């Protein structure tokens, strides 16, 4: 994490804001937990103990990187996970119709690209990333999280599993090729009503 986001995380743990069910503005309560430690460093070389984590979560990280850096982070996640541990990824899905339409709009996408320097490389490398994860993990499942994002859960094999490629189940599209989740982002004219 960047130093800025580390500081935000620390402040949230200190403030312990309440969720809406308890009268606060957050989706759920945030509770300080001494097991949580925020670090700044190289995500592809953390120097953390191998085989010591149940879950590694990458949320909206990989599209910010060149594909080879994303592969390095996946390798580090695999090293860090305990047997049967899970890698959780949530990311932009350029195979979703909503992002395909957005990417087809040259003006709009050039604006997005101006703050996201690796976006084109990321968009072109999603299937290669999925193939890589399939080769490294015993099984993985990809589902649509929103009309523009996917969620992937990949499970590391046990100590006694074979070294062969795993299974990747892609559930983003139905049998007719339709994306399973409708795009729920507001259209410009809807936000002005």
């Amino acid at each position: 994490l960047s130093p800025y986001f580390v500081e935000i995380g620390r402040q949230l743990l200190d403030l312990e804001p309440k969720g809406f069910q308890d009268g606060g503005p957050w989706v759920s309560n945030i509770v300080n937990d001494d097991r949580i430690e925020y670090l700044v460093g190289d995500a592809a070389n953390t120097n953390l103990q191998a085989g010591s984590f149940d879950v590694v979560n990458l949320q909206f990280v990989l599209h910010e990187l060149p594909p080879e850096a994303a592969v390095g982070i996946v390798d580090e996640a695999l090293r860090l996970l305990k047997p049967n541990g899970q890698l959780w990824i949530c990311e932009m899905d350029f195979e979703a119709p909503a992002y395909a339409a957005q990417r087809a709009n040259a003006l709009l996408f050039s604006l997005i690209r101006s703050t996201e320097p690796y976006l084109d490389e990321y968009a072109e490398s999603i299937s290669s990333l999925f193939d890589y994860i399939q080769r490294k993990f015993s099984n993985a499942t990809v589902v649509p999280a929103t009309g523009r994002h996917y969620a992937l859960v990949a499970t590391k094999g046990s100590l006694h599993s074979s070294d062969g490629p795993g299974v990747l189940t892609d559930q983003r599209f139905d049998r007719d090729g339709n994306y399973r989740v409708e795009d729920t982002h507001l259209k410009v004219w809807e936000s002005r009503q």
Side-chain angles (χ1 to χ4, degrees):
L1 294 172
S2 75
Y4 172 77
F5 286 114
V6 166
E7 187 56 33
I8 296 295
R10 287 180 181 143
Q11 286 183 17
L12 282 174
L13 290 176
D14 288 344
L15 293 172
E16 295 188 325
K18 299 292 180 206
F20 69 91
Q21 290 181 333
D22 291 330
W26 291 80
V27 172
S28 61
N29 293 337
I30 294 179
V31 179
N32 200 346
D33 186 326
D34 291 335
R35 297 172 299 171
I36 297 172
E37 182 180 355
Y38 288 100
L39 304 171
V40 177
D42 180 355
N45 185 18
T46 63
N47 293 316
L48 298 169
Q49 184 178 349
S52 59
F53 292 87
D54 295 309
V55 173
V56 173
N57 183 7
L58 301 173
Q59 187 147 344
F60 303 114
V61 171
L62 302 178
H63 75 274
E64 302 285 356
L65 309 167
E68 59 275 6
V71 165
I73 291 173
V74 168
D75 285 341
E76 180 68 356
L78 184 63
R79 186 189 74 78
L80 292 173
L81 288 169
K82 296 176 182 176
N84 299 312
Q86 293 185 326
L87 170 62
W88 299 350
I89 298 174
C90 185
E91 252 314 339
M92 296 177 176
D93 190 351
F94 282 98
E95 295 179 14
Y99 267 130
Q102 193 176 56
R103 196 168 183 216
N105 181 327
L107 179 59
L108 176 61
F109 205 68
S110 66
L111 292 172
I112 294 169
R113 228 188 257 118
S114 69
T115 62
E116 306 278 358
Y118 297 105
L119 210 50
D120 283 317
E121 290 178 65
Y122 168 76
E124 297 298 325
S125 68
I126 292 173
S127 57
S128 296
L129 180 65
F130 288 175
D131 290 344
Y132 189 77
I133 289 170
Q134 180 180 357
R135 288 193 308 273
K136 294 291 187 169
F137 288 80
S138 64
N139 65 67
T141 301
V142 185
V143 297
T146 72
R148 297 176 186 218
H149 304 96
Y150 68 81
L152 180 146
V153 175
T155 303
K156 180 178 181 175
S158 67
L159 289 174
H160 305 293
S161 66
S162 70
D163 292 332
V167 175
L168 185 132
T169 305
D170 191 340
Q171 299 177 351
R172 294 174 297 158
F173 299 90
D174 65 20
R175 289 182 187 193
D176 297 325
N178 300 309
Y179 205 71
R180 291 185 186 265
V181 175
E182 190 175 327
D183 183 21
T184 56
H185 285 67
L186 286 176
K187 295 175 178 55
V188 174
W189 63 87
E190 290 174 337
S191 66
R192 294 181 185 209
Q193 293 179 353

